[in-house]
Amino acid sequence: MADLSVNIGELQMKNPVMTASGTFGYGEEFADFIDITRIGGIIVKGTTLHSREGNPYPRMAETPAGMLNAVGLQNKGANYFAEQIYPRIKDIQTNMIVNVSGSAIEDYVKTAEIMNELDKIPAIELNISCPNVKQGGMAFGVTTEGVAEVVNAVRSAYKKTLIVKLSPNVTNIAEMARAAEANGADSISLINTLLGMAIDAERRKPILSTVTGGLSGAAVKPIALRMVWQVANAVKIPVIGLGGIMNWKDAVEFLLAGASAIQIGTANFIDPAVTIKVVDGINDYLDRQGCKSVSEIIGALEL
Ligand SMILES: Cc1cc2nc3c(=O)[nH]c(=O)nc-3n(C[C@H](O)[C@H](O)[C@H](O)COP(=O)(O)O)c2cc1C
């Protein structure tokens, strides 16, 4: 049995396997199927300052080897989370991390301040793929200025581990990562979904109510792996890799590319026990390779 523990900023994890935001609810929904305390960290649904209804249906579409979604950050807001959901999940014996989303800097900051007061939330993950309503709806995460501004503002308000989740819909991902690092991020996670589209030819209509949506699942893995490798080589802070991880082998590839931890998203919809299988699979791989600790394979890709 190898030592699977990893640290991300001040966050101590029993293993490098986490669940991706929006794909694992608040964790409790999965507790009847698996021992969720065996997971290194659970990133809960995207939380915004005010409650959001999300986008009209249809907001999901299956694609070959993946899915498109346009859920639109449906949630009941940060205060509801603090008052109603936090008391239910705070004693789950793993790291419960909140994914913080927003459409204005002030909203991100206020949400981060609310999360800062919750003792048993050791970290937040900042979702900067959201449209900036004050700047014509372009996502914060697609310009270095946007990344710098939102990370800097949240860093001043949030005292615990700050993970910044990057959008892959950019030309130079390493620049975005460096902007996040320079403005106080403790860790970078990537990738969020890739912008995609699906059409119903018979009806001559888009399938999603929003026309375009976010692509995730196995289809995005090679892009995610490439971006994780580029970012791990561009920053000194730990990187959390995700995008199309379906099994332990995919997870090991991300660790070799330089990720200190990984997240599993869409695969949870196919197999609710995938996270546990990935923890066991990484452990078996390390044993077979004669490694005593997972740290021995992080960034160990040989070129
Ligand atoms: C239904 C659905 C909802 C999602 N909601 C969020 C969210 O609220 N915040 C966020 O940062 N990412 C969200 N994501 C993106 C995932 O966390 C993840 O970055 C992406 O799906 C890529 O990983 P995967 O291929 O393993 O699913 C969502 C993805 C899906 C499929």
Side-chain angles (χ1 to χ4, degrees):
M1 179 90 197
D3 176 9
L4 293 181
S5 63
V6 293
N7 291 348
I8 302 287
E10 286 177 10
L11 190 67
Q12 298 180 336
M13 301 205 298
K14 59 188 102 171
N15 63 60
V17 178
M18 311 168 94
T19 58
S21 179
T23 66
F24 206 71
Y26 294 103
E28 50 185 6
E29 297 88 337
F30 283 73
D32 285 344
F33 304 107
I34 55 168
D35 177 3
I36 57 173
T37 68
R38 288 198 59 210
I39 302 172
I42 293 174
I43 316 245
V44 306
K45 266 167 90 113
T47 302
T48 50
L49 184 59
H50 304 295
S51 82
R52 284 176 59 103
E53 290 288 324
N55 292 318
Y57 292 87
R59 51 193 199 181
M60 299 257 199
E62 254 191 70
T63 69
M67 62 181 278
L68 284 163
N69 95 83
V71 172
L73 298 170
Q74 180 176 6
N75 79 102
K76 291 194 169 161
N79 283 321
Y80 182 90
F81 174 83
E83 286 156 20
Q84 304 292 328
I85 298 169
Y86 174 68
R88 290 206 312 259
I89 64 169
K90 70 181 176 47
D91 294 321
I92 297 176
Q93 289 303 302
T94 181
N95 292 296
M96 301 302 290
I97 298 165
V98 176
N99 179 272
V100 171
S101 303
S103 45
I105 300 275
E106 308 81 78
D107 293 4
Y108 274 106
V109 169
K110 284 191 191 137
T111 306
E113 281 169 352
I114 293 167
M115 299 309 152
N116 199 51
E117 298 306 309
L118 304 179
D119 282 350
K120 298 208 172 148
I121 302 294
I124 58 171
E125 180 182 64
L126 214 57
N127 171 12
I128 58 173
S129 299
C130 310
N132 180 345
V133 286
K134 289 199 180 142
Q135 299 223 334
M138 193 162 66
F140 288 94
V142 300
T143 61
T144 49
E145 296 77 18
V147 174
E149 195 186 358
V150 65
V151 175
N152 191 287
V154 172
R155 178 72 288 176
S156 310
Y158 189 72
K159 307 303 168 204
K160 295 182 270 182
T161 298
L162 175 61
I163 302 165
V164 176
K165 182 172 183 181
L166 297 184
S167 165
N169 301 309
V170 298
T171 310
N172 187 336
I173 194 79
E175 269 184 7
M176 305 302 153
R178 279 194 286 261
E181 180 181 44
N183 284 279
D186 296 308
S187 172
I188 306 281
S189 61
L190 76 159
I191 60 172
N192 212 314
T193 53
L194 279 150
L195 205 54
M197 182 170 170
I199 291 177
D200 179 337
E202 296 299 332
R203 291 172 51 243
R204 302 187 183 189
K205 296 254 185 220
I207 292 178
L208 297 173
S209 69
T210 50
V211 184
T212 62
L215 181 66
S216 63
V220 308
K221 194 191 92 174
I223 300 170
L225 199 53
R226 181 265 294 179
M227 288 191 165
V228 165
W229 178 72
Q230 287 178 321
V231 166
N233 284 296
V235 297
K236 295 196 173 62
I237 50 177
V239 173
I240 302 172
L242 73 152
I245 298 180
M246 308 308 284
N247 53 47
W248 68 264
K249 220 184 236 176
D250 294 336
V252 166
E253 289 170 23
F254 277 79
L255 298 171
L256 290 169
S260 296
I262 58 99
Q263 294 178 18
I264 299 177
T266 303
N268 291 303
F269 297 132
I270 300 165
D271 177 4
V274 63
T275 43
I276 308 296
K277 291 176 186 168
V278 170
V279 173
D280 291 340
I282 295 172
N283 184 58
D284 293 346
Y285 170 84
L286 293 172
D287 285 350
R288 278 201 309 283
Q289 294 266 326
C291 300
K292 294 204 165 48
S293 159
V294 69
S295 60
E296 290 174 46
I297 64 161
I298 294 169
L301 180 71
E302 295 175 11
L303 294 178

